[in-house]
Amino acid sequence: MIEVQPVVYPFWYPLLTATSRQGRPISLLFPEGVSPEAGTIDMLIMAAFHGDEPESAWVLEAFLNRVSARELGAKRVGIIPVANPDGLFLKTRQTSTGVDMNRNFPTQDWASLGQGTPYFSGSAPASEPETQFIVHVLSVYPPQAIMSLHTPYRVINYDGPAEALAQKMSEINGYEVVADIGYPTPGSFGTYTGKERDIPTLTLELPEKEAFTENELQSNLAALLHCIL
Ligand SMILES: [Zn+2]
């Protein structure tokens, strides 16, 4: 077990925390000066679900360094800046145990699939502490809407009643809105939240590597803010 101190952001405080399998902190951050009322929060945003998609974490890092409660109009926004810290450290899609979190959610269609591949769903639904943390966050602070950041397709995918929110995001970043990713994803986060719980859920697929320019960063920061406000 290693011990890593959580990153501290000027305008945000940790509301809930957990520890990854290898001992790295995972936090739900909330804007300083804003209290979540019992029950729901307005928006949950998360990144680095897949550890080999660091661009997603860079966007939320920039967001957390620049945006304060005042700019959010007192909206109750929860941010999980790095959902899979071991994967981010190891530069792997999966968690340190080789599980794809996006197949590990306790959905009705969860099945043990893909062992030894990058899409391994785990030995049981929500077998991973990283998945358990998100399930816990959703039960304690169920959000009105969710934005989950990935790479590399440069599209906005949505689950549940989120088409209007997807279009709102597209107005700012210009990405195409796609209703369905085109292949089955049992145990996926979008199925758990959007399809089974009716929470509007956006998957923002950012460009990666050289295509992830400063312009892309800025337009996506603006797109996130536009969707919150
Ligand atoms: Zn991804």
Side-chain angles (χ1 to χ4, degrees):
M1 200 78 156
I2 53 159
E3 208 173 293
V4 181
Q5 292 304 312
V7 181
V8 176
Y9 293 97
F11 314 115
W12 298 78
Y13 70 96
L15 197 57
L16 291 176
T17 55
T19 305
S20 71
R21 183 118 25 206
Q22 290 190 337
R24 296 184 175 86
I26 315 172
S27 304
L28 172 70
L29 304 178
F30 217 64
E32 287 285 2
V34 181
S35 304
E37 285 153 41
T40 182
I41 62 175
D42 294 307
M43 179 76 76
L44 174 67
I45 316 177
M46 66 178 96
F49 223 77
H50 292 137
D52 59 350
E53 301 174 0
E55 295 84 355
S56 65
W58 300 343
V59 170
L60 288 193
E61 191 182 297
F63 188 94
L64 288 164
N65 276 314
R66 295 177 203 185
V67 177
S68 67
R70 210 157 55 120
E71 283 144 290
L72 295 172
K75 285 281 169 76
R76 294 163 299 162
V77 178
I79 295 189
I80 302 174
V82 178
N84 176 10
D86 297 346
L88 188 66
F89 177 79
L90 298 165
K91 299 184 172 63
T92 59
R93 173 183 177 92
Q94 309 99 301
T95 62
S96 60
T97 47
V99 173
D100 180 0
M101 287 173 68
N102 211 26
R103 300 290 184 278
N104 190 233
F105 278 82
T107 59
Q108 288 156 22
D109 65 356
W110 183 89
S112 186
L113 295 168
Q115 187 154 18
T117 78
Y119 307 100
F120 180 38
S121 60
S123 54
S127 57
E128 304 310 295
E130 296 85 354
T131 310
Q132 289 162 17
F133 178 66
I134 295 172
V135 168
H136 179 61
V137 165
L138 292 169
S139 73
V140 180
Y141 300 113
Q144 299 286 330
I146 299 171
M147 298 192 283
S148 177
L149 279 55
H150 288 254
T151 68
Y153 299 115
R154 219 173 170 276
V155 298
I156 305 159
N157 183 242
Y158 67 90
D159 290 286
E163 187 174 3
L165 189 63
Q167 294 294 353
K168 196 172 172 182
M169 177 177 274
S170 177
E171 284 167 20
I172 304 296
N173 65 11
Y175 296 1
E176 190 189 350
V177 173
V178 182
D180 195 287
I181 207 142
Y183 48 86
T185 54
S188 75
F189 177 71
T191 298
Y192 186 75
T193 59
K195 293 200 175 77
E196 295 188 0
R197 279 162 188 73
D198 238 24
I199 304 170
T201 302
L202 296 190
T203 302
L204 168 58
E205 288 267 355
L206 299 156
E208 61 168 4
K209 303 196 173 87
E210 313 78 55
F212 184 80
T213 60
E214 179 65 23
N215 275 351
E216 293 279 355
L217 173 67
Q218 296 301 339
S219 82
N220 280 292
L221 288 174
L224 294 183
L225 262 179
H226 185 60
C227 286
I228 293 167
L229 298 174

